[in-house]
PDB file of all heavy atoms in Angstrom:
ATOM      1  N   VAL B   4      36.551 -42.923  24.025  1.00 94.00           N
ATOM      2  CA  VAL B   4      35.793 -43.767  25.006  1.00 94.00           C
ATOM      3  C   VAL B   4      34.326 -43.734  24.432  1.00 94.00           C
ATOM      4  O   VAL B   4      33.786 -42.767  24.276  1.00 94.00           O
ATOM      5  CB  VAL B   4      35.788 -43.120  26.424  1.00 94.00           C
ATOM      6  CG1 VAL B   4      34.923 -43.995  27.268  1.00 94.00           C
ATOM      7  CG2 VAL B   4      37.209 -43.180  26.936  1.00 94.00           C
ATOM      8  N   THR B   5      33.839 -44.917  24.249  1.00 95.00           N
ATOM      9  CA  THR B   5      32.561 -44.959  23.506  1.00 95.00           C
ATOM     10  C   THR B   5      31.535 -45.726  24.485  1.00 95.00           C
ATOM     11  O   THR B   5      31.849 -46.851  24.915  1.00 95.00           O
ATOM     12  CB  THR B   5      32.666 -45.837  22.270  1.00 95.00           C
ATOM     13  OG1 THR B   5      33.678 -45.225  21.414  1.00 95.00           O
ATOM     14  CG2 THR B   5      31.403 -45.912  21.418  1.00 95.00           C
ATOM     15  N   GLN B   6      30.446 -45.110  24.654  1.00 96.00           N
ATOM     16  CA  GLN B   6      29.343 -45.674  25.413  1.00 96.00           C
ATOM     17  C   GLN B   6      28.308 -46.107  24.442  1.00 96.00           C
ATOM     18  O   GLN B   6      27.942 -45.349  23.524  1.00 96.00           O
ATOM     19  CB  GLN B   6      28.704 -44.724  26.452  1.00 96.00           C
ATOM     20  CG  GLN B   6      29.801 -44.396  27.500  1.00 96.00           C
ATOM     21  CD  GLN B   6      29.197 -43.409  28.585  1.00 96.00           C
ATOM     22  OE1 GLN B   6      29.838 -42.381  28.839  1.00 96.00           O
ATOM     23  NE2 GLN B   6      28.148 -43.822  29.189  1.00 96.00           N
ATOM     24  N   SER B   7      27.863 -47.452  24.600  1.00 90.00           N
ATOM     25  CA  SER B   7      27.130 -48.022  23.491  1.00 90.00           C
ATOM     26  C   SER B   7      25.720 -47.415  23.281  1.00 90.00           C
ATOM     27  O   SER B   7      25.211 -47.463  22.188  1.00 90.00           O
ATOM     28  CB  SER B   7      26.977 -49.515  23.789  1.00 90.00           C
ATOM     29  OG  SER B   7      26.279 -49.787  25.036  1.00 90.00           O
ATOM     30  N   SER B   8      25.123 -46.854  24.310  1.00 92.00           N
ATOM     31  CA  SER B   8      23.831 -46.332  24.205  1.00 92.00           C
ATOM     32  C   SER B   8      23.788 -44.879  24.682  1.00 92.00           C
ATOM     33  O   SER B   8      24.399 -44.527  25.698  1.00 92.00           O
ATOM     34  CB  SER B   8      22.750 -47.021  24.995  1.00 92.00           C
ATOM     35  OG  SER B   8      22.745 -48.493  24.611  1.00 92.00           O
ATOM     36  N   ARG B   9      23.138 -43.986  23.859  1.00 94.00           N
ATOM     37  CA  ARG B   9      23.065 -42.478  24.325  1.00 94.00           C
ATOM     38  C   ARG B   9      21.777 -42.426  25.193  1.00 94.00           C
ATOM     39  O   ARG B   9      21.778 -41.583  26.166  1.00 94.00           O
ATOM     40  CB  ARG B   9      22.894 -41.609  23.183  1.00 94.00           C
ATOM     41  CG  ARG B   9      24.088 -41.468  22.219  1.00 94.00           C
ATOM     42  CD  ARG B   9      25.268 -40.914  23.048  1.00 94.00           C
ATOM     43  NE  ARG B   9      24.908 -39.627  23.668  1.00 94.00           N
ATOM     44  CZ  ARG B   9      25.064 -38.447  23.003  1.00 94.00           C
ATOM     45  NH1 ARG B   9      25.503 -38.374  21.818  1.00 94.00           N
ATOM     46  NH2 ARG B   9      24.878 -37.371  23.633  1.00 94.00           N
ATOM     47  N   TYR B  10      20.788 -43.115  24.945  1.00 96.00           N
ATOM     48  CA  TYR B  10      19.495 -43.088  25.670  1.00 96.00           C
ATOM     49  C   TYR B  10      19.028 -44.482  25.883  1.00 96.00           C
ATOM     50  O   TYR B  10      19.056 -45.384  25.029  1.00 96.00           O
ATOM     51  CB  TYR B  10      18.397 -42.260  24.940  1.00 96.00           C
ATOM     52  CG  TYR B  10      18.804 -40.953  24.702  1.00 96.00           C
ATOM     53  CD1 TYR B  10      19.286 -40.541  23.416  1.00 96.00           C
ATOM     54  CD2 TYR B  10      18.554 -39.942  25.580  1.00 96.00           C
ATOM     55  CE1 TYR B  10      19.599 -39.246  23.156  1.00 96.00           C
ATOM     56  CE2 TYR B  10      18.935 -38.592  25.328  1.00 96.00           C
ATOM     57  CZ  TYR B  10      19.503 -38.320  24.051  1.00 96.00           C
ATOM     58  OH  TYR B  10      19.864 -36.960  23.792  1.00 96.00           O
ATOM     59  N   LEU B  11      18.505 -44.731  27.133  1.00 96.00           N
ATOM     60  CA  LEU B  11      17.881 -45.983  27.539  1.00 96.00           C
ATOM     61  C   LEU B  11      16.695 -45.653  28.347  1.00 96.00           C
ATOM     62  O   LEU B  11      16.683 -44.950  29.240  1.00 96.00           O
ATOM     63  CB  LEU B  11      18.867 -46.856  28.318  1.00 96.00           C
ATOM     64  CG  LEU B  11      19.980 -47.697  27.539  1.00 96.00           C
ATOM     65  CD1 LEU B  11      20.773 -48.544  28.601  1.00 96.00           C
ATOM     66  CD2 LEU B  11      19.266 -48.684  26.695  1.00 96.00           C
ATOM     67  N   VAL B  12      15.609 -46.510  28.093  1.00 97.00           N
ATOM     68  CA  VAL B  12      14.422 -46.424  29.009  1.00 97.00           C
ATOM     69  C   VAL B  12      14.179 -47.849  29.371  1.00 97.00           C
ATOM     70  O   VAL B  12      13.964 -48.852  28.526  1.00 97.00           O
ATOM     71  CB  VAL B  12      13.228 -45.947  28.218  1.00 97.00           C
ATOM     72  CG1 VAL B  12      11.950 -45.905  29.085  1.00 97.00           C
ATOM     73  CG2 VAL B  12      13.475 -44.482  27.581  1.00 97.00           C
ATOM     74  N   LYS B  13      14.175 -48.090  30.680  1.00 97.00           N
ATOM     75  CA  LYS B  13      13.895 -49.351  31.219  1.00 97.00           C
ATOM     76  C   LYS B  13      12.853 -49.339  32.241  1.00 97.00           C
ATOM     77  O   LYS B  13      12.543 -48.297  32.846  1.00 97.00           O
ATOM     78  CB  LYS B  13      15.206 -49.867  31.932  1.00 97.00           C
ATOM     79  CG  LYS B  13      16.411 -50.036  30.926  1.00 97.00           C
ATOM     80  CD  LYS B  13      16.165 -51.195  29.987  1.00 97.00           C
ATOM     81  CE  LYS B  13      17.251 -51.386  29.023  1.00 97.00           C
ATOM     82  NZ  LYS B  13      16.988 -52.483  28.047  1.00 97.00           N
ATOM     83  N   ARG B  14      12.407 -50.511  32.665  1.00 97.00           N
ATOM     84  CA  ARG B  14      11.264 -50.593  33.662  1.00 97.00           C
ATOM     85  C   ARG B  14      11.878 -50.958  35.071  1.00 97.00           C
ATOM     86  O   ARG B  14      12.844 -51.664  35.067  1.00 97.00           O
ATOM     87  CB  ARG B  14      10.227 -51.652  33.215  1.00 97.00           C
ATOM     88  CG  ARG B  14       9.499 -51.216  31.998  1.00 97.00           C
ATOM     89  CD  ARG B  14       8.180 -52.028  31.866  1.00 97.00           C
ATOM     90  NE  ARG B  14       7.340 -51.571  30.715  1.00 97.00           N
ATOM     91  CZ  ARG B  14       6.548 -50.634  30.757  1.00 97.00           C
ATOM     92  NH1 ARG B  14       6.263 -49.992  31.893  1.00 97.00           N
ATOM     93  NH2 ARG B  14       5.804 -50.334  29.660  1.00 97.00           N
ATOM     94  N   THR B  15      11.176 -50.540  36.062  1.00 98.00           N
ATOM     95  CA  THR B  15      11.554 -50.910  37.346  1.00 98.00           C
ATOM     96  C   THR B  15      11.718 -52.389  37.521  1.00 98.00           C
ATOM     97  O   THR B  15      10.860 -53.135  37.121  1.00 98.00           O
ATOM     98  CB  THR B  15      10.522 -50.419  38.448  1.00 98.00           C
ATOM     99  OG1 THR B  15      10.384 -48.923  38.245  1.00 98.00           O
ATOM    100  CG2 THR B  15      10.911 -50.668  39.836  1.00 98.00           C
ATOM    101  N   GLY B  16      12.795 -52.792  38.114  1.00 97.00           N
ATOM    102  CA  GLY B  16      13.132 -54.219  38.337  1.00 97.00           C
ATOM    103  C   GLY B  16      13.890 -54.942  37.282  1.00 97.00           C
ATOM    104  O   GLY B  16      14.357 -56.035  37.429  1.00 97.00           O
ATOM    105  N   GLU B  17      14.063 -54.219  36.070  1.00 97.00           N
ATOM    106  CA  GLU B  17      14.770 -54.837  35.089  1.00 97.00           C
ATOM    107  C   GLU B  17      16.312 -54.893  35.388  1.00 97.00           C
ATOM    108  O   GLU B  17      16.767 -54.040  36.145  1.00 97.00           O
ATOM    109  CB  GLU B  17      14.615 -54.051  33.801  1.00 97.00           C
ATOM    110  CG  GLU B  17      13.361 -54.361  32.921  1.00 97.00           C
ATOM    111  CD  GLU B  17      13.417 -53.861  31.581  1.00 97.00           C
ATOM    112  OE1 GLU B  17      14.190 -54.360  30.750  1.00 97.00           O
ATOM    113  OE2 GLU B  17      12.820 -52.744  31.326  1.00 97.00           O
ATOM    114  N   LYS B  18      17.059 -55.832  34.781  1.00 97.00           N
ATOM    115  CA  LYS B  18      18.476 -55.773  34.826  1.00 97.00           C
ATOM    116  C   LYS B  18      19.100 -55.031  33.660  1.00 97.00           C
ATOM    117  O   LYS B  18      18.653 -55.293  32.584  1.00 97.00           O
ATOM    118  CB  LYS B  18      19.011 -57.187  34.913  1.00 97.00           C
ATOM    119  CG  LYS B  18      20.489 -57.350  35.215  1.00 97.00           C
ATOM    120  CD  LYS B  18      20.942 -58.830  35.404  1.00 97.00           C
ATOM    121  CE  LYS B  18      22.375 -58.911  35.920  1.00 97.00           C
ATOM    122  NZ  LYS B  18      22.768 -60.291  36.180  1.00 97.00           N
ATOM    123  N   VAL B  19      19.884 -54.088  34.022  1.00 97.00           N
ATOM    124  CA  VAL B  19      20.417 -53.103  32.985  1.00 97.00           C
ATOM    125  C   VAL B  19      21.857 -53.241  32.891  1.00 97.00           C
ATOM    126  O   VAL B  19      22.563 -53.302  33.808  1.00 97.00           O
ATOM    127  CB  VAL B  19      19.916 -51.659  33.287  1.00 97.00           C
ATOM    128  CG1 VAL B  19      20.312 -50.711  32.161  1.00 97.00           C
ATOM    129  CG2 VAL B  19      18.387 -51.588  33.526  1.00 97.00           C
ATOM    130  N   PHE B  20      22.252 -53.193  31.594  1.00 97.00           N
ATOM    131  CA  PHE B  20      23.715 -53.303  31.299  1.00 97.00           C
ATOM    132  C   PHE B  20      24.128 -51.934  30.558  1.00 97.00           C
ATOM    133  O   PHE B  20      23.655 -51.628  29.491  1.00 97.00           O
ATOM    134  CB  PHE B  20      24.160 -54.488  30.432  1.00 97.00           C
ATOM    135  CG  PHE B  20      23.932 -55.783  31.169  1.00 97.00           C
ATOM    136  CD1 PHE B  20      22.713 -56.409  31.154  1.00 97.00           C
ATOM    137  CD2 PHE B  20      25.024 -56.328  31.798  1.00 97.00           C
ATOM    138  CE1 PHE B  20      22.565 -57.681  31.841  1.00 97.00           C
ATOM    139  CE2 PHE B  20      24.921 -57.667  32.485  1.00 97.00           C
ATOM    140  CZ  PHE B  20      23.699 -58.200  32.480  1.00 97.00           C
ATOM    141  N   LEU B  21      25.074 -51.244  31.124  1.00 97.00           N
ATOM    142  CA  LEU B  21      25.618 -50.084  30.358  1.00 97.00           C
ATOM    143  C   LEU B  21      27.060 -50.421  29.959  1.00 97.00           C
ATOM    144  O   LEU B  21      27.889 -50.793  30.800  1.00 97.00           O
ATOM    145  CB  LEU B  21      25.667 -48.822  31.235  1.00 97.00           C
ATOM    146  CG  LEU B  21      24.295 -48.424  31.836  1.00 97.00           C
ATOM    147  CD1 LEU B  21      24.387 -47.109  32.567  1.00 97.00           C
ATOM    148  CD2 LEU B  21      23.211 -48.285  30.684  1.00 97.00           C
ATOM    149  N   GLU B  22      27.320 -50.301  28.675  1.00 96.00           N
ATOM    150  CA  GLU B  22      28.541 -50.739  28.159  1.00 96.00           C
ATOM    151  C   GLU B  22      29.533 -49.615  27.776  1.00 96.00           C
ATOM    152  O   GLU B  22      29.072 -48.568  27.288  1.00 96.00           O
ATOM    153  CB  GLU B  22      28.424 -51.635  26.898  1.00 96.00           C
ATOM    154  CG  GLU B  22      27.458 -52.789  27.154  1.00 96.00           C
ATOM    155  CD  GLU B  22      27.972 -53.943  27.920  1.00 96.00           C
ATOM    156  OE1 GLU B  22      29.294 -53.912  28.200  1.00 96.00           O
ATOM    157  OE2 GLU B  22      27.291 -54.840  28.407  1.00 96.00           O
ATOM    158  N   CYS B  23      30.832 -49.736  28.015  1.00 96.00           N
ATOM    159  CA  CYS B  23      31.791 -48.777  27.713  1.00 96.00           C
ATOM    160  C   CYS B  23      33.046 -49.418  27.153  1.00 96.00           C
ATOM    161  O   CYS B  23      33.531 -50.377  27.664  1.00 96.00           O
ATOM    162  CB  CYS B  23      32.187 -48.007  28.992  1.00 96.00           C
ATOM    163  SG  CYS B  23      33.353 -46.749  28.859  1.00 96.00           S
ATOM    164  N   VAL B  24      33.664 -48.802  26.079  1.00 96.00           N
ATOM    165  CA  VAL B  24      34.755 -49.314  25.449  1.00 96.00           C
ATOM    166  C   VAL B  24      35.789 -48.168  25.147  1.00 96.00           C
ATOM    167  O   VAL B  24      35.400 -47.190  24.786  1.00 96.00           O
ATOM    168  CB  VAL B  24      34.488 -50.003  24.055  1.00 96.00           C
ATOM    169  CG1 VAL B  24      35.732 -50.469  23.405  1.00 96.00           C
ATOM    170  CG2 VAL B  24      33.487 -51.187  24.262  1.00 96.00           C
ATOM    171  N   GLN B  25      37.010 -48.415  25.537  1.00 93.00           N
ATOM    172  CA  GLN B  25      38.070 -47.471  25.276  1.00 93.00           C
ATOM    173  C   GLN B  25      39.080 -48.027  24.374  1.00 93.00           C
ATOM    174  O   GLN B  25      39.483 -49.235  24.497  1.00 93.00           O
ATOM    175  CB  GLN B  25      38.709 -46.999  26.668  1.00 93.00           C
ATOM    176  CG  GLN B  25      39.188 -48.080  27.552  1.00 93.00           C
ATOM    177  CD  GLN B  25      40.701 -48.179  27.673  1.00 93.00           C
ATOM    178  OE1 GLN B  25      41.417 -47.494  26.866  1.00 93.00           O
ATOM    179  NE2 GLN B  25      41.258 -48.922  28.596  1.00 93.00           N
ATOM    180  N   ASP B  26      39.730 -47.108  23.619  1.00 89.00           N
ATOM    181  CA  ASP B  26      40.689 -47.576  22.608  1.00 89.00           C
ATOM    182  C   ASP B  26      42.068 -46.958  22.970  1.00 89.00           C
ATOM    183  O   ASP B  26      42.918 -46.929  22.139  1.00 89.00           O
ATOM    184  CB  ASP B  26      40.330 -47.180  21.246  1.00 89.00           C
ATOM    185  CG  ASP B  26      40.357 -45.579  21.029  1.00 89.00           C
ATOM    186  OD1 ASP B  26      40.543 -44.874  21.933  1.00 89.00           O
ATOM    187  OD2 ASP B  26      40.077 -45.274  19.865  1.00 89.00           O
ATOM    188  N   MET B  27      42.324 -46.615  24.258  1.00 80.00           N
ATOM    189  CA  MET B  27      43.454 -45.904  24.605  1.00 80.00           C
ATOM    190  C   MET B  27      44.522 -46.750  25.417  1.00 80.00           C
ATOM    191  O   MET B  27      45.603 -46.322  25.866  1.00 80.00           O
ATOM    192  CB  MET B  27      43.165 -44.716  25.490  1.00 80.00           C
ATOM    193  CG  MET B  27      42.193 -43.749  24.929  1.00 80.00           C
ATOM    194  SD  MET B  27      41.536 -42.559  26.121  1.00 80.00           S
ATOM    195  CE  MET B  27      40.548 -43.650  27.038  1.00 80.00           C
ATOM    196  N   ASP B  28      44.127 -48.080  25.647  1.00 81.00           N
ATOM    197  CA  ASP B  28      44.995 -48.941  26.382  1.00 81.00           C
ATOM    198  C   ASP B  28      45.130 -48.449  27.862  1.00 81.00           C
ATOM    199  O   ASP B  28      46.186 -48.761  28.493  1.00 81.00           O
ATOM    200  CB  ASP B  28      46.391 -49.159  25.739  1.00 81.00           C
ATOM    201  CG  ASP B  28      47.042 -50.460  26.206  1.00 81.00           C
ATOM    202  OD1 ASP B  28      46.225 -51.455  26.441  1.00 81.00           O
ATOM    203  OD2 ASP B  28      48.215 -50.596  26.281  1.00 81.00           O
TER     204      ASP B  28
END
Side-chain angles (χ1 to χ4, degrees):
Chain B
V4 176
T5 303
Q6 294 182 234
S7 57
S8 303
R9 292 300 303 273
Y10 300 96
L11 276 178
V12 180
K13 297 293 182 181
R14 292 196 177 274
T15 300
E17 277 194 78
K18 190 169 185 177
V19 182
F20 293 85
L21 302 184
E22 306 288 349
C23 175
V24 176
Q25 54 107 350
D26 66 356
M27 302 169 290
D28 203 34

